[in-house]
Amino acid sequence: MSTPDVRKVAGIDPSVPAPAHTSSPSPSSAAPLSGGGAPSATPDSQDVRPVDHLAAVQDRLAGWISDLTTLHDLTERLARTDSLDDALQELLRAGAGLVGAQRGMIVLEPTDGRGPDTTVGLGLGPADLGTIETIPRGAAAYGRILDGLPEGDLPDDGGGSPERTEVAHPDLRNEPDLDPRHREVAARLGYAASYAVPLATESGGRLGAAVWLYDEPTEPVDRQRHLVGLYTRYATEHLARLMELARARATAATLREELLPSRLPRVAGVRLAVRHRTGPQGGGDWYDALPLPEGALGLAVGSVTGSGPSAVAAMGRLRASLRAYAVMEGEDPVAVLSDLELLLRLTEPARSATALFAYCEPAGSCDDGDQEPGHDQGQRLGRSFVLAGAGHCPPLVVGEHRTEFVETTLSAPLGMLSCWEAPSVEFSVAPRETLLLYSDGLLHRTGEPIDRAFARLHGAAAGVPKSVRDDPDAVVEHVLRTMLPDGSDAADSPEDVVLLAARFD
């Protein structure tokens, strides 16, 4: 019977070493010759030896199938991660299982210098990671990988060219050339061996390094090294895709934040607070609060249709233009929005937007008829507002004796009519009352019909505890948490959320 040729079996890589639990079959010894020169075979030698060899091959195939199944399950779990942090943690857990380690860490440091640079640990707290980082970079396994191993340090792949760049320290306590600080940190944290591999892609270069730590002196066998190499080869491609996504989101978030006020202004007699939540693609909701001549104040919120970089750019242009128009003719909100309508039709003909602009007159300008009874002249002066809105939700006044929406005129959004102009409305806000301006994303994220969402907002504002009503920051926080409980304000919703509060003393 001829010996089966393993190399001809489909899907099997003959370079893969045998599974650890499989022993290599014993080589067949030649049978002694009889006097006639023919092999003297017995039934046992003819039947048992081929059967034993076939069983060994089947055992080896079973080991390969088991390994492939394990890799399939691990890569599927990794593919289900949709954030960089989750993917790093999954890679650490899977790699630890493949090489038989108890703890580990990943140092992410892309060679292109664009970040993100981060360190995450498995079974290691922030203090432990900080302690490991005190090891001189050139002596740490991850540092040697990130800085590029010298050619003499690279193990030979058998063909004369160095390809495998893992760094193994099988016995840190007794390694003679180990840096003293490395030995000291290992003793303090209680690990006795380490195994590090690079995280690199063919197109993007080196992304970082993964290090797994053992409690006892040991090192992974060849088969474990092969399996973790196959897994990290796939994992780094997945990490590279998530990294590009994280970079794009960070860039969009930075751009969006730069286009919005870096801080709210300080205006005498007024305290301001805001909450701004954006969807994963970045939307066009915006807000503004700007001091105007003679002690006046302008408050604005708006929303541009669409999402992504184009909507963010359009939002920035619209907000910047409104600021310019408000400085020139802020006391006439209708004129401000009319100018904004003309600009939108000329520069963004395929886009529409909603906007609301409220002009708050200087302190002490409220008429006597608007004053709240029961207060002396020095304490009862409120603030008068002139407001114009283009398709935007009405503001909400929250006070000790009332919680009500401001009655505004009906108007289409900007960009939907050949000429926009709607009458303005006037109202007043008494001392110790808060004016809430918001975007419609706050209503849409509730998932309820619009009338119920309005009722829910009214109830949330009316339910602000009296103990925190003097703090506009606490007011917006309470309203946001009541409207969107269980972290819904940070959910991956396409809707942006803006909530701006102005508390008048």
Side-chain angles (χ1 to χ4, degrees):
M1 180 178 295
S2 60
T3 303
D5 188 354
V6 177
R7 291 174 294 179
K8 296 181 180 179
V9 179
I12 300 301
D13 182 2
S15 64
V16 179
H21 61 274
T22 304
S23 59
S24 301
S26 302
S28 300
S29 59
L33 299 178
S34 62
S40 59
T42 63
D44 291 341
S45 64
Q46 290 179 342
D47 298 336
V48 175
R49 289 176 184 170
V51 171
D52 288 346
H53 189 75
L54 181 60
V57 171
Q58 290 175 340
D59 189 20
R60 191 172 184 180
L61 289 174
W64 279 325
I65 292 173
S66 175
D67 291 340
L68 291 174
T69 302
T70 299
L71 286 176
H72 178 266
D73 293 341
L74 293 177
T75 52
E76 273 199 338
R77 288 178 56 181
L78 182 66
R80 287 195 291 267
T81 59
D82 56 3
S83 70
L84 187 59
D85 290 340
D86 291 343
L88 292 173
Q89 289 293 338
E90 179 59 33
L91 192 159
L92 273 175
R93 286 192 294 267
L98 290 174
V99 301
Q102 292 75 36
R103 291 175 288 176
M105 61 182 287
I106 289 179
V107 180
L108 208 59
E109 191 177 297
T111 54
D112 59 10
R114 297 169 53 200
D117 294 349
T118 185
T119 302
V120 297
L122 173 69
L124 298 170
D128 299 331
L129 295 175
T131 301
I132 293 175
E133 289 177 348
T134 63
I135 300 173
R137 187 179 175 92
Y142 71 87
R144 294 170 60 195
I145 290 176
L146 294 177
D147 293 340
L149 289 169
E151 187 170 334
D153 289 350
L154 298 178
D156 198 328
D157 68 342
S161 61
E163 292 183 358
R164 296 171 58 187
T165 57
E166 67 266 24
V167 177
H169 292 286
D171 191 354
L172 290 167
R173 299 167 186 167
N174 299 313
E175 189 170 329
D177 298 330
L178 192 69
D179 185 276
R181 180 57 183 167
H182 196 167
R183 185 177 289 106
E184 178 185 344
V185 169
R188 179 183 302 179
L189 298 182
Y191 64 90
S194 68
Y195 179 68
V197 298
L199 303 176
T201 63
E202 293 183 3
S203 59
R206 188 171 288 126
L207 305 181
V211 185
W212 289 281
L213 308 176
Y214 300 87
D215 293 343
E216 299 295 334
T218 186
E219 63 179 318
V221 298
D222 286 344
R223 188 165 195 82
Q224 290 175 316
R225 296 185 185 208
H226 182 77
L227 290 176
V228 80
L230 292 175
Y231 178 75
T232 54
R233 188 183 307 169
Y234 170 83
T236 48
E237 296 292 341
H238 184 64
L239 287 178
R241 291 190 291 270
L242 292 177
M243 187 179 298
E244 287 301 320
L245 180 60
R247 287 172 173 176
R249 288 180 174 176
T251 301
T254 301
L255 176 63
R256 189 167 51 247
E257 293 302 323
E258 289 297 326
L259 292 174
L260 292 173
S262 57
R263 61 180 180 84
L264 294 172
R266 294 183 178 180
V267 180
V270 184
R271 286 180 291 161
L272 301 168
V274 69
R275 292 292 184 276
H276 184 208
R277 303 288 188 268
T278 58
Q281 296 180 349
D285 286 14
W286 54 275
Y287 65 92
D288 209 346
L290 62 156
L292 296 175
E294 300 180 357
L297 173 67
L299 300 175
V301 291
S303 177
V304 175
T305 56
S307 60
S310 63
V312 173
M315 175 267 289
R317 289 191 293 268
L318 207 65
R319 174 182 168 269
S321 301
L322 183 139
R323 289 177 70 91
Y325 300 147
V327 171
M328 293 186 296
E329 47 193 8
E331 68 279 0
D332 186 0
V334 171
V336 172
L337 295 189
S338 297
D339 292 342
L340 208 60
E341 158 72 21
L342 178 60
L343 176 73
L344 189 67
R345 283 194 288 113
L346 293 176
T347 60
E348 304 279 348
R351 196 183 296 275
S352 64
T354 66
L356 184 147
F357 179 70
Y359 174 80
C360 177
E361 295 182 352
S365 61
C366 185
D367 295 336
D368 290 343
D370 294 328
Q371 294 172 4
E372 195 174 328
H375 295 80
D376 58 40
Q377 184 69 18
Q379 295 178 334
R380 60 184 176 175
L381 293 179
R383 291 291 188 103
S384 294
F385 277 86
V386 182
L387 178 145
H392 205 83
C393 305
L396 186 64
V397 178
V398 182
E400 184 177 355
H401 303 291
R402 63 168 176 166
T403 300
E404 60 187 25
F405 290 101
V406 176
E407 293 187 7
T408 58
T409 56
L410 295 176
S411 170
L414 302 175
M416 298 189 68
L417 299 176
S418 59
C419 180
W420 181 91
E421 185 167 336
S424 61
V425 296
E426 297 183 9
F427 66 96
S428 62
V429 176
R432 295 182 298 279
E433 289 188 331
T434 301
L435 181 67
L436 288 178
L437 290 79
Y438 52 94
S439 66
D440 56 3
L442 179 64
L443 306 175
H444 293 161
R445 278 209 188 189
T446 63
E448 298 179 342
I450 196 66
D451 55 341
R452 293 185 181 179
F454 272 116
R456 187 170 179 174
L457 174 60
H458 185 277
V464 175
K466 292 184 178 180
S467 58
V468 300
R469 287 198 175 188
D470 290 339
D471 183 2
D473 196 74
V475 171
V476 295
E477 188 67 23
H478 174 85
V479 172
L480 190 63
R481 297 302 182 194
T482 305
M483 290 287 290
L484 305 173
D486 303 325
S488 299
D489 63 308
D492 287 341
S493 169
E495 298 286 347
D496 286 9
V497 172
V498 170
L499 184 59
L500 175 65
R503 168 76 179 184
F504 295 90
D505 296 329

